Amino acid sequence: MSGPTCDDEVTPMAVTSQVGNRLLGALMRYQQEMLKGSPREDAKSRSLQDLMKSTWDLSRVRGYVNEVRQSLISSGMDFISLKLTTRRKFMGGWSPIYFITEVPLAWDLILEVPYIPGSQAKGVVRDAFLEVSGDDKMVDCVFGSREAEGKATFTDFYPVASQGGLLAYDIINPHYSPRRRPFDEYNANPVPVKFVAVNSGVTFEGFVVFRRGELESCGQDSFKLLLQALFYSSMSGWGRRATKGYGELDLQVELGEVKSGAGR
């Protein structure tokens, strides 16, 4: 069975059913609009509207996160269970949405949701750990270096709850080229870059995995400093544009969530 031609009317529902994925559906909509000769901004707007109209059932994501938790319990590893709720908008990582918005956002094409890559989480917390410890050798021991593997591993963080929708629109106002100065501000026509970001009020869940004895071999305060770094990083912001107010997180960690796996 052949797919639609560029002359066919492509509806959001039709696109989604063809590719079986929200993000790929938006990309296909964008491609079809461009093939039909639609202006680029119109093609971008329509494809993003399709994505924003999606309904989000996070039960499958919560099920996956719970499977990861049960695997960690069975593995005998120690782990910290973290819930991170976005206080403001968030963006980070990379996915094919970049081809529409020019602004990357990590996206799991199987679970069909944006997420926070574990590598990004580890990098942010590593920087915070250095701030609170001031000890480069301890940082390399806990998080790894070119010479040795680290003691702590970060899983990917997935959205498990949302207070007001998973995604939100935003714009980036472009800067004027120095070659165009001086110019008449009243006659300037900048075209904002429109994109989607993770909304505020979205709760992500993931895990920091380690063996307590190995972690504390890096220094007797390494576990305490790791917890401090997690809280510090959540206030300074994760992801891109943290200096612009993005990525501030409410971090939920209780002593009861610092667990030791089976077989200890």
Side-chain angles (χ1 to χ4, degrees), residues 86-152:
T86 55
R87 298 179 62 185
R88 302 190 184 187
K89 295 174 184 175
F90 174 91
M91 60 182 182
W94 190 92
S95 77
I97 198 173
Y98 177 81
F99 297 117
I100 304 175
T101 65
E102 303 174 31
V103 178
L105 179 65
W107 196 283
D108 190 299
L109 295 176
I110 297 176
L111 293 174
E112 299 193 68
V113 289
Y115 72 105
I116 304 174
S119 57
Q120 177 181 312
K122 186 175 184 178
V124 171
V125 178
R126 180 191 180 105
D127 289 343
F129 193 99
L130 180 58
E131 288 286 331
V132 299
S133 70
D135 189 329
D136 291 292
K137 291 184 178 179
M138 186 182 292
V139 170
D140 287 344
C141 181
V142 173
F143 295 91
S145 65
R146 292 182 178 180
E147 289 73 32
E149 184 178 353
K151 310 303 182 186

Side-chain angles (χ1 to χ4, degrees), residues 234-246:
S234 69
M235 293 183 291
S236 58
W238 287 27
R240 290 187 176 85
R241 306 193 77 198
T243 58
K244 304 296 184 182
Y246 274 66

Side-chain angles (χ1 to χ4, degrees), residues 22-38:
R22 294 182 182 91
L23 180 55
L24 295 183
L27 288 166
M28 183 176 286
R29 176 63 179 263
Y30 178 75
Q31 178 192 50
Q32 294 293 334
E33 291 289 339
M34 294 296 290
L35 289 173
K36 288 165 56 178
S38 300

